[in-house]
Amino acid sequence: MALPVALIRLVVLSAVALFALIALGVAAAFTSTTSSNLFINHTFEFASLGIATAVFTLVTVPPMIALEMLRPGGPTSMIIVEISWLAFLSILWLSTGADTASFNAAFLGCGNSKVDKEIHQAEDQVGIPHGICSELSALEAFAFLNWIILMGYIGMLLVMSIMAASRKHTNVWTSSVANAPFSEPAKNSSVPMSYNAGTGGQPGGYSTSGSVQAGTVHV
């Protein structure tokens, strides 16, 4: 079980890093376009949040992948550390997606065919930057995608770790995903019955041994 989970981890974190790179490019392009445009000339908070979230992700997630390969079982690979940090990143991605969607619904309405047509006309008439709707939609989509992927992975890790802990593998939280005892059987915590060979091999210390002397049996 550990090998498939480690493979899932690699795929999930790689996808999150890739989507973060795309979101970083989109958010940076949106910020550059809006801040340099004379008609808008403003930097929006959701785009700045998207840039910060993407940077946090790219600075931490690829090293998490590399360290698990180069130094398995290190502190950064502990399941409790991984769950905590990825949960923090998932909250940031959710906030980015929600803020972007809120701005879109309140001020632009991209995605509505009528609104898209009006914005396209305004791009030529009053100088609204071209492609502003596509950049906004892309940032929103990749932010929510990363949130969904991270939450699914965190949920899987939590369930499997709790199940392992219920089988008396209390060290699962400090194990790495590759070395975690997800599929190992439960530990046997029962105390075996003592056996004392010197007392006749009977439990409880009772002796059944005896001796025979000159026709007299001594028990």
Side-chain angles (χ1 to χ4, degrees):
M1 177 66 79
L3 182 59
V5 175
L7 182 60
I8 291 173
R9 176 185 185 271
L10 177 62
V11 173
V12 165
L13 296 186
S14 299
V16 168
L18 176 61
F19 292 163
L21 183 62
I22 297 173
L24 175 62
V26 172
F30 183 89
T31 300
S32 175
T33 300
T34 55
S35 61
S36 61
N37 184 266
L38 295 177
F39 181 75
I40 301 176
N41 193 24
H42 183 70
T43 300
F44 295 95
E45 289 77 8
F46 69 87
S48 300
L49 177 60
I51 293 174
T53 303
V55 169
F56 273 129
T57 303
L58 292 173
V59 167
T60 57
V61 170
M64 289 171 65
I65 299 174
L67 287 174
E68 179 65 13
M69 294 179 177
L70 299 176
R71 189 187 173 190
T76 57
S77 300
M78 292 182 182
I79 288 178
I80 187 64
V81 174
E82 189 161 307
I83 288 177
S84 301
W85 179 249
L86 294 182
F88 173 70
L89 288 181
S90 70
I91 293 173
L92 290 181
W93 282 116
L94 175 61
S95 300
T96 300
D99 285 353
T100 306
S102 177
F103 174 84
N104 183 25
F107 297 102
L108 289 180
C110 297
N112 184 303
S113 58
K114 182 179 179 180
V115 174
D116 288 343
K117 183 178 180 180
E118 293 175 352
I119 291 177
H120 182 70
Q121 293 174 350
E123 288 175 343
D124 298 324
Q125 294 174 1
V126 297
I128 292 180
H130 288 268
I132 191 172
C133 270
S134 59
E135 292 173 351
L136 199 67
S137 300
L139 178 58
E140 179 183 343
F142 284 109
F144 280 127
L145 271 176
N146 267 353
W147 171 65
I148 293 171
I149 292 172
L150 287 174
M151 287 304 297
Y153 176 67
I154 291 169
M156 181 193 74
L157 272 189
L158 274 175
V159 170
M160 297 183 71
S161 299
I162 291 172
M163 291 176 63
S166 68
R167 296 195 299 269
K168 310 300 181 183
H169 296 291
T170 54
N171 63 330
V172 65
W173 301 107
T174 55
S175 303
S176 65
V177 172
N179 300 324
F182 291 136
S183 59
E184 293 184 10
K187 289 184 177 180
N188 187 5
S189 59
S190 60
V191 179
M193 184 179 294
S194 61
Y195 177 83
N196 190 342
T199 58
Q202 300 296 324
Y206 295 102
S207 175
T208 58
S209 61
S211 61
V212 179
Q213 292 181 356
T216 304
V217 178
H218 299 278
V219 179

